[in-house]
Amino acid sequence: MRQRNVHTSVARRVAGIAAAAALAVAVGAPGGTAGAGPARPAEVKIGIVTFLSGPAAAPFGIPARNAAEVLIDEINAGRAPAPYNQRGIAGVPIRVVYVDEAGGADRQVAEFRRLVLDERVDLVIGYISSADCLAVAPVAEELRALLVMFDCGTNQIFEERSYRYVFRTHGHQILDNVGAARYILRIKPEIASIAGINQNYAWGQDSWRDFRDSVRRLKPDVRVMGEHFPPLFGGEYSAQISALLGARPEVVHTSFWGGDLESFLIQQLPRRLYERSTLVLTTGDTVLPRLGRNMIPGVVVGARGPHGALAPNVPLNRWFREVYARRFNVRPVYPSYHMSQAIFGVKTAYERAQRQVGGWPTREQVIDAFRGITFDTPSGPIRMALGRGHQAIEPVAYGITSRFNTATGEYDLTRVVVFPAECVNPPEGMTSADWIAQGFPGARCP
């Protein structure tokens, strides 16, 4: 009996020591959790997809890649300002795999599968082209892979489907075009005619429709003098410029971007379309530093939000412009700001999830933390307010080119107006088309 008691006592002590050791390992190990969550990883691996070749690379893709490069270096070094001053993501360094967006939607679907299944990235931040976003989003849902769209603009993503694994951390095209309509009617209240030249795919068609319908909803007697849809990356617009010169609309709207926008502006210069019609460029911020003196005065310029030349003078923006310009010797344009929103949104969601679960979060926990959050960016606060918390809203700003500034090497923007997010975005549960058709119910504008 005594011998059995000794064995029992020893066994209990051994079991107690083992349990204590196990608890110590769970609590004390780097990133250990008190629960059954995943172990703290050695890195957070992010696939970043943007145009690295082709006509959209220089004005859009490379500035976005540059923003990712400098921001992730600063974040990994712990040099970003609060609230982003914790190294990496919750102390775990970020590593990036860059992928070229060139090649079309089918290629991007294949590349997305490769990033998720072969590279085994933790998430993908990507896509400038709306066509690529529309093609990849269902695949992210199928693979249960976290996808953060950083720049594409079509409103179809969350107005026509619901997603769990897909987020977009910037406003979609509705803010660009409702904002442009409100701006042009503010500076030209007696306007009588408009026309459009937009690329022939989802982005161009959606943008023109919402600008045209917004203008006519706000001023029903405005006439439409032409609707032109040349192919994406067409590069040659003499026929459309001739038609616009002949129709003589007071305003010409375009959502052209990248090389298409620069080609159109350069080709219309000798024929002086800009003297007959006020040009409205919803993506115009990107061409200001690139065209320099070849830009023209009197052109309405947008930045797809309060970004680039229209960004607010706040500490986080001043820091972002400084670190970006120091490395690349040029100011960041709006795709760079969109990339910053995606990176700061991801960091906020991961660190929020990590605090909520008390250890390293699962992908599902990150998604739950991401939904509906508000976070700071160089352009001001971003709210994930549409698409059941998966789609951001933000304000939009417009200005008009005035005089060439030799200090900055680009035209200054004057008569700047910032329209709040509640003025240029539909409420949750309403599509852009219905919101415009019903006269912008719930809009709060200055």
Side-chain angles (χ1 to χ4, degrees):
M1 177 65 75
R2 182 174 182 278
Q3 187 175 20
R4 190 169 64 232
N5 288 341
V6 168
H7 288 163
T8 302
S9 176
V10 169
R12 286 174 176 168
R13 286 203 304 273
V14 169
I17 292 169
L23 179 62
V25 168
V27 173
T33 70
R40 185 183 181 87
E43 62 185 16
V44 176
K45 190 174 180 182
I46 302 178
I48 290 185
V49 187
T50 181
F51 284 104
L52 303 178
S53 64
F60 279 82
I62 299 301
R65 194 280 310 275
N66 290 348
E69 182 182 310
V70 70
L71 285 176
I72 289 170
D73 283 354
E74 293 293 310
I75 289 170
N76 279 342
R79 292 192 294 260
Y84 303 112
N85 50 347
Q86 187 175 14
R87 289 177 183 269
I89 291 178
V92 175
I94 303 168
R95 185 163 73 88
V96 173
V97 178
Y98 291 103
V99 171
D100 190 355
E101 192 178 340
D106 289 344
R107 177 176 173 181
Q108 292 314 311
V109 167
E111 286 286 0
F112 185 85
R113 290 185 182 279
R114 184 185 66 78
L115 282 170
V116 173
L117 300 176
D118 298 337
E119 292 277 358
R120 303 187 70 80
V121 298
D122 294 289
L123 69 143
V124 173
I125 294 174
Y127 309 109
I128 289 172
S129 165
S130 291
D132 292 338
C133 281
L134 287 167
V136 170
V139 183
E141 207 72 2
E142 171 197 330
L143 299 179
R144 299 184 177 183
L146 176 55
L147 166 62
V148 181
M149 298 175 174
F150 86 91
D151 190 69
C152 59
T154 179
N155 55 297
Q156 296 175 30
I157 299 292
F158 292 106
E159 290 189 354
E160 297 183 358
R161 287 193 61 176
S162 294
Y163 295 98
R164 173 167 174 76
Y165 296 90
V166 181
F167 292 83
R168 181 159 52 184
T169 47
H170 66 281
H172 60 66
Q173 60 83 23
I174 186 69
L175 66 88
D176 308 327
N177 298 293
V178 173
R182 292 190 182 282
Y183 184 82
I184 201 67
L185 287 169
R186 183 166 294 196
I187 66 169
K188 298 173 74 75
E190 302 304 320
I191 182 178
S193 60
I194 59 173
I197 176 168
N198 290 275
Q199 293 149 324
N200 191 21
Y201 77 120
W203 161 255
Q205 294 161 359
D206 294 347
S207 294
W208 166 247
R209 180 201 61 217
D210 288 348
F211 175 77
R212 177 199 63 200
D213 293 353
S214 295
V215 169
R216 297 189 70 179
R217 183 64 189 173
L218 294 166
K219 195 171 187 302
D221 60 344
V222 172
R223 292 173 296 153
V224 175
M225 306 296 287
E227 301 177 314
H228 304 279
F229 293 101
L232 178 66
F233 303 146
E236 208 287 316
Y237 308 105
S238 58
Q240 291 85 8
I241 291 170
S242 295
L244 291 167
L245 286 167
R248 304 176 73 91
E250 292 176 60
V251 167
V252 173
H253 163 280
T254 185
S255 61
F256 273 10
W257 54 276
D260 281 354
L261 179 56
E262 294 180 20
S263 297
F264 170 68
L265 289 172
I266 291 170
Q267 288 172 28
Q268 64 84 38
L269 268 177
R271 303 177 70 180
R272 298 182 178 274
L273 175 63
Y274 67 94
E275 291 185 351
R276 290 192 179 185
S277 305
T278 299
L279 305 181
V280 177
L281 317 179
T282 62
T283 74
D285 174 61
T286 60
V287 301
L288 293 177
R290 288 179 56 81
L291 292 187
R293 289 187 181 276
N294 290 324
M295 191 60 181
I296 41 185
V299 176
V300 174
V301 169
R304 303 208 55 224
H307 311 308
L310 295 161
N313 184 20
V314 296
L316 190 56
N317 183 38
R318 291 196 293 272
W319 170 81
F320 176 51
R321 287 177 64 101
E322 180 184 346
V323 296
Y324 187 102
R326 188 190 310 143
R327 180 172 299 192
F328 302 109
N329 200 32
V330 65
R331 74 163 172 88
V333 290
Y334 84 73
S336 309
Y337 282 78
H338 280 174
M339 179 60 76
S340 79
Q341 290 173 202
I343 290 171
F344 288 136
V346 166
K347 182 172 167 63
T348 301
Y350 261 88
E351 293 178 350
R352 184 186 191 205
Q354 195 255 0
R355 290 193 300 273
Q356 288 175 338
V357 303
W360 193 256
T362 65
R363 180 174 302 152
E364 304 298 327
Q365 290 165 336
V366 171
I367 287 169
D368 290 340
F370 211 153
R371 192 182 305 119
I373 60 172
T374 297
F375 56 97
D376 288 335
T377 77
S379 306
I382 290 294
R383 288 190 291 128
M384 304 296 289
L386 300 180
R388 299 189 306 167
H390 289 243
Q391 166 67 59
I393 62 170
E394 56 184 324
V396 71
Y398 275 92
I400 192 164
T401 53
S402 58
R403 65 178 180 82
F404 185 75
N405 187 328
T406 54
T408 62
E410 57 187 82
Y411 274 84
D412 287 335
L413 297 178
T414 57
R415 304 179 72 179
V416 173
V417 178
V418 179
F419 297 97
E422 294 77 11
C423 176
V424 291
N425 291 274
E428 173 71 312
M430 181 174 283
T431 67
S432 300
D434 288 344
W435 188 53
I436 296 169
Q438 294 176 28
F440 313 101
R444 286 179 285 164
C445 298

